């Protein structure tokens, strides 16, 4: 017994209780029988049972459709579990409070900016009194403080009603291409005009700035010039294959001064012209995409047959020249927007005169469409090995973005050299994530087989999931 008690003092606290119970049994004449474990208290079991019953009763009460009424202090926030109207009121009240807080924050920021400007003026005055050299002023990257129309085009404008919750700010910032800062002299020249009067005849300057990456250009407060003697366009569908009158264009920016000159370019040898055949609607341009001729291209009808009938409805043609692809698709009840540039010819006006939608945008610009809205995107010759690899990959990912699931990208006559195809471009296409539906590669032999030049056409699908 002494040994058992000694061990109980050297063990853990739980073991001590056991030993004491054993000794108690010895004192009662049961020294050779181990003490039975103590039963769980009935009170604890009863509490657990009551909790389970209460939980079930609350669940039945709540899901029976009855409203939960809890008396809370007036200052406590109200929670309406099944009252959608009350929830909406609370949400609107919270939004209004948040908008008010943001408006106050914007006002405080404006006050801080005003105080900062005042402090700068005071410090500059003190510095002038003490003969300190004035610090160089920062004009946001401009060599001198912008004035006039340029100032209006590049600086933010305060909203008349203050902070706007949808914009998340109390100012509107003009859309201006980042690269515009690199060409400040040309941009200042572009913005030098008489407000409210007729715009200068500077289409060539605008295109030059755009091609340099100053895109989008700032808006101007002047009236764009119209052609003298303008004539109404031909009605659809005749306009799709009609060369419009010369009086629909101002020809000053271009080498050719009429459409006859542009059409004749396709029928003369020599001359490095962009899209040389595009304006001759009775020649090669009219035969495009009409048939699978065994070369690297596809026909429009074969591409449309690869989709469920009627599911190709809206699309985009990147670098579409004079809009012939869009015209052929229009004949098949598909609406296609054509991106094009007025490179020494009125491409945009020509597309519009055919009853189609032109969009003047460069390859560097993000496509102005929301995610997943187009059924088809087509590009012929615009995407080729002249595009830097990083720019090409970004453009392909942007095409992937605007296509809906199941939409297709028709890559038409992609030009590259033989070693580039598998080493550079196939990995880029694979990284984007398109699924190949059709893929045709063919040698370009018109300048000689030794040049190892290739055309690739592909029909690539954005996966459904």
């Amino acid at each position: 017994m002494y040994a058992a008690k000694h061990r109980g003092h050297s063990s853990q606290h739980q073991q001590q209780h056991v030993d004491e119970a054993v000794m108690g049994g010895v004192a009662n004449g049961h020294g050779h029988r181990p003490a039975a474990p103590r039963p769980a208290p009935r009170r604890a079991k009863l509490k657990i049972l009551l909790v389970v019953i209460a939980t079930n009763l609350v669940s039945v009460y709540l899901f029976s459709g009855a409203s939960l009424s809890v008396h809370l202090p007036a200052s406590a926030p109200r929670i309406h579990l099944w009252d959608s109207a009350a929830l909406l009121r609370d949400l609107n009240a919270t939004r209004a409070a948040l908008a008010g807080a943001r408006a106050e924050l914007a006002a405080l920021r404006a006050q801080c900016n005003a105080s900062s400007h005042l402090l700068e003026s005071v410090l500059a005055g003190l510095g002038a009194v003490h003969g300190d050299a004035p610090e160089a002023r920062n004009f946001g990257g401009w060599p001198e403080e912008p004035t006039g129309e340029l100032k209006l085009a590049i600086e933010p404008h305060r909203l008349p009603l203050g902070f706007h919750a949808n914009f998340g700010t109390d100012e509107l910032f003009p859309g201006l291409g980042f690269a515009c800062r690199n060409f400040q002299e040309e941009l200042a020249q572009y913005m030098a005009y008489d407000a409210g009067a007729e715009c200068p005849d500077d289409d060539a300057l605008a295109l030059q700035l755009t091609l340099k990456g100053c895109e989008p250009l700032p808006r101007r407060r002047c009236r764009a010039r119209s052609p003298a003697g303008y004539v109404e366009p031909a009605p659809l569908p005749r306009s799709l294959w009609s060369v419009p009158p010369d009086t629909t264009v101002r020809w000053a920016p271009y080498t050719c001064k009429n459409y006859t000159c542009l059409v004749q370019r396709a029928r003369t040898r020599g001359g490095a012209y962009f899209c040389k055949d595009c304006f001759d609607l009775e020649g090669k341009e009219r035969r495009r995409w009409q048939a699978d001729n065994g070369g690297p291209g596809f026909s429009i009808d074969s591409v449309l047959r690869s989709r469920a009938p009627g599911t190709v409805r809206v699309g985009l043609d990147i670098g579409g020249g004079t809009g012939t692809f869009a015209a052929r698709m229009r004949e098949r009840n598909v609406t296609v927007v054509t991106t094009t540039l007025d490179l020494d010819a009125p491409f945009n006006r020509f597309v519009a005169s055919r009853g189609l939608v032109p969009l003047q945008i460069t390859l560097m610009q993000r496509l102005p469409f929301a995610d997943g809205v187009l059924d088809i995107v087509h590009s012929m010759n615009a995407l080729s090995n002249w595009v830097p690899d990083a720019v090409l990959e970004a453009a392909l990912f942007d095409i992937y973005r605007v296509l809906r699931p199941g939409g297709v990208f028709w890559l038409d006559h992609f030009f590259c050299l033989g070693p580039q195809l598998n080493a550079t471009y196939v990995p880029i296409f694979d990284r984007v994530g398109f699924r190949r539906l059709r893929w045709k590669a063919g040698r370009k032999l018109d300048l000689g087989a030794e040049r190892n030049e290739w055309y690739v056409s592909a029909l690539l699908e954005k996966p459904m999931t």
Side-chain angles (χ1 to χ4, degrees):
M1 183 189 308
Y2 175 78
K5 185 175 182 181
H6 180 72
R7 285 193 301 272
H9 283 293
S10 62
S11 65
Q12 298 179 354
H13 185 64
Q14 184 179 0
Q15 186 63 37
Q16 182 178 352
H17 285 293
V18 175
D19 291 342
E20 289 174 355
V22 171
M23 292 183 68
V26 173
N28 290 323
H30 303 285
H32 297 288
R33 294 178 59 187
R38 297 174 64 184
R42 292 183 179 180
R43 183 174 298 176
K45 291 183 177 180
L46 183 59
K47 288 181 178 179
I48 294 173
L49 180 60
L50 289 175
V51 169
V52 172
I53 293 174
T55 303
N56 290 337
L57 287 175
V58 171
S59 300
V60 171
Y61 181 75
L62 292 177
F63 288 101
S64 66
S67 62
L68 181 62
S69 178
V70 181
H71 297 287
L72 297 174
S75 60
R78 301 290 180 180
I79 302 177
H80 311 276
L81 296 181
W82 277 271
D83 191 345
S84 60
L87 277 174
L88 184 59
R89 287 195 301 271
D90 289 350
L91 179 60
N92 290 335
T94 303
R95 280 180 177 168
L98 183 59
R102 286 177 173 171
E104 292 179 4
L105 182 61
L108 287 174
R109 186 178 63 184
Q111 293 176 5
C112 289
N113 289 337
S115 300
S116 177
H117 291 317
L118 179 60
L119 181 59
E120 288 177 359
S121 300
V122 171
L123 292 177
L126 290 174
V129 170
H130 288 85
D132 297 338
E135 293 185 2
R137 296 183 62 186
N138 180 16
F139 300 114
W142 301 91
E144 56 186 27
E145 184 175 8
T147 59
E149 294 300 304
L150 180 60
K151 181 181 179 70
L152 290 175
I154 66 177
E155 291 192 350
H157 300 268
R158 290 204 171 277
L159 294 171
L161 302 181
F163 180 87
H164 197 290
N166 291 343
F167 299 147
T169 180
D170 61 343
E171 297 176 316
L172 285 182
F173 290 81
L176 185 67
F178 179 79
C180 293
R181 296 179 183 273
N182 298 329
F183 309 101
Q184 296 174 10
E185 184 177 344
E186 293 98 321
L187 185 63
Q189 179 183 350
Y190 178 73
M191 296 302 297
Y193 61 90
D194 295 328
E198 192 175 58
C199 293
D201 196 358
D202 56 1
D203 291 6
L205 175 62
L207 180 62
Q208 184 184 50
L209 279 167
T210 300
L211 293 174
K212 288 180 176 180
C214 183
E215 183 186 27
L217 285 169
R219 292 188 293 196
R220 301 195 294 186
R221 300 188 302 160
C222 58
R223 292 185 295 275
R225 294 170 179 254
S226 298
Y230 181 80
V231 177
E232 290 285 338
L236 282 166
R238 180 162 57 88
S239 63
L240 290 177
W241 300 103
S242 300
V243 176
D246 293 336
T247 52
T248 58
V249 175
R250 291 187 304 105
W251 294 96
Y254 313 119
T255 303
C256 279
K257 302 305 178 183
N258 51 59
Y259 278 121
T260 302
C261 172
L262 292 174
V263 171
Q264 289 299 321
R265 283 181 177 179
R267 303 171 186 177
T268 57
R269 305 188 65 176
Y273 302 111
F274 174 74
C275 205
K276 180 179 178 180
D277 303 325
C278 290
F279 292 92
D280 185 7
L281 299 184
E282 298 301 325
K284 182 179 179 181
E285 189 74 2
R286 186 126 189 178
R287 299 190 296 271
R288 295 189 192 277
W289 304 291
Q290 291 293 86
D292 283 339
N293 55 11
F298 308 137
S299 70
I300 286 179
D301 290 330
S302 69
V303 170
L304 293 179
R305 282 196 300 268
S306 70
R307 308 284 85 196
T311 59
V312 178
R313 304 151 301 166
V314 290
L316 173 69
D317 186 19
I318 299 176
T322 54
T324 296
F325 179 83
R328 288 299 184 195
M329 295 295 273
R330 174 66 181 265
E331 292 173 336
R332 292 156 176 81
N333 296 320
V334 181
T335 301
V336 170
V337 175
T338 301
T339 74
T340 190
L341 294 170
D342 292 335
L343 297 173
D344 197 29
F347 286 93
N348 279 274
R349 288 180 179 85
F350 193 85
V351 172
S353 71
R354 300 177 75 176
L356 307 169
V357 182
L359 181 64
Q360 181 153 286
I361 187 175
T362 70
L363 195 60
M364 292 296 296
Q365 183 81 341
R366 187 177 190 263
L367 294 175
F369 300 98
D371 295 1
V373 296
L374 299 182
D375 301 314
I376 188 170
V377 175
H378 171 264
S379 179
M380 178 177 179
N381 296 329
L383 299 177
S384 289
N385 68 347
W386 70 270
V387 182
D389 294 349
V391 175
L392 174 65
E393 187 166 352
L396 292 173
F397 271 103
D398 203 25
I399 292 170
Y400 187 96
R401 176 185 65 82
V402 300
L403 282 171
R404 63 167 175 82
V408 292
F409 171 43
W410 180 355
L411 181 67
D412 198 351
H413 284 76
F414 179 90
F415 173 81
C416 66
L417 301 179
Q420 295 176 316
L421 182 56
N422 291 322
T424 302
Y425 297 118
V426 170
I428 289 177
F429 292 124
D430 290 341
R431 280 197 297 272
V432 175
F434 287 113
R435 186 171 72 91
R436 294 188 191 181
L437 300 180
R438 298 179 67 180
W439 182 277
K440 290 173 67 175
R443 298 285 294 272
K444 181 178 180 293
L445 301 174
D446 57 327
L447 298 179
E450 67 280 359
R451 296 173 69 96
N452 197 16
E453 296 176 335
W454 287 73
Y455 276 134
V456 176
S457 291
L459 195 61
L460 308 172
E461 181 186 54
K462 180 176 179 177
M464 293 293 291
T465 57

